[in-house]
């Protein structure tokens, strides 16, 4: 949770803390985010990020930081299923 780290997003501390706690490498981590701050945090932590639209749009720079831009949660699920099939 955000209250368990010193720095808030877009700082990558929260993702690095979770990955460390779960003993996972960034290249084996897939993050789902709905804000530009979250996308930037995941990218800076070295994790792949799937963006699911919410209230705000991403900047062009943030779009380049995502692995996939889902249309909605169902689209994100399809993306995951396709990754698993590969």
């Amino acid at each position: 949770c955000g209250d368990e780290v010193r720095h808030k997003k877009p700082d990558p501390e929260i993702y690095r803390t979770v990955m460390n706690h779960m003993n996972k490498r960034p290249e084996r981590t897939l993050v789902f985010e709905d804000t530009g701050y979250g996308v930037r945090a995941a990218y800076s932590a070295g994790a792949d990020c799937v963006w699911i639209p919410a209230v705000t749009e991403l900047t062009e720079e943030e779009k380049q930081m995502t692995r996939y831009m889902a249309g909605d949660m169902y689209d994100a699920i399809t993306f995951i299923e396709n990754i698993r099939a590969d």
Side-chain angles (χ1 to χ4, degrees):
C1 293
D3 62 344
E4 298 178 65
V5 293
R6 176 175 281 169
H7 302 98
K8 307 294 183 207
K9 297 174 189 174
D11 188 280
E13 180 185 10
I14 192 164
Y15 288 121
R16 289 180 178 153
T17 300
V18 170
M19 288 184 284
N20 186 48
H21 180 73
M22 297 180 75
N23 198 30
K24 297 295 178 187
R25 297 184 320 262
E27 63 272 13
R28 301 285 299 158
T29 302
L30 184 62
V31 172
F32 293 85
E33 268 296 344
D34 62 351
T35 68
Y37 288 126
V39 168
R40 288 176 179 275
Y43 181 82
S44 294
D48 281 337
C49 184
V50 172
W51 180 67
I52 301 171
V55 179
T56 62
E57 288 293 320
L58 298 181
T59 65
E60 289 303 314
E61 182 182 17
E62 291 163 346
K63 289 177 183 178
Q64 297 301 313
M65 296 177 181
T66 65
R67 178 165 177 189
Y68 184 73
M69 293 177 44
D72 54 31
M73 185 58 86
Y74 295 108
D75 186 27
I77 291 168
T78 301
F79 173 76
I80 294 168
E81 290 171 343
N82 289 334
I83 289 174
R84 292 175 58 189
D86 290 342

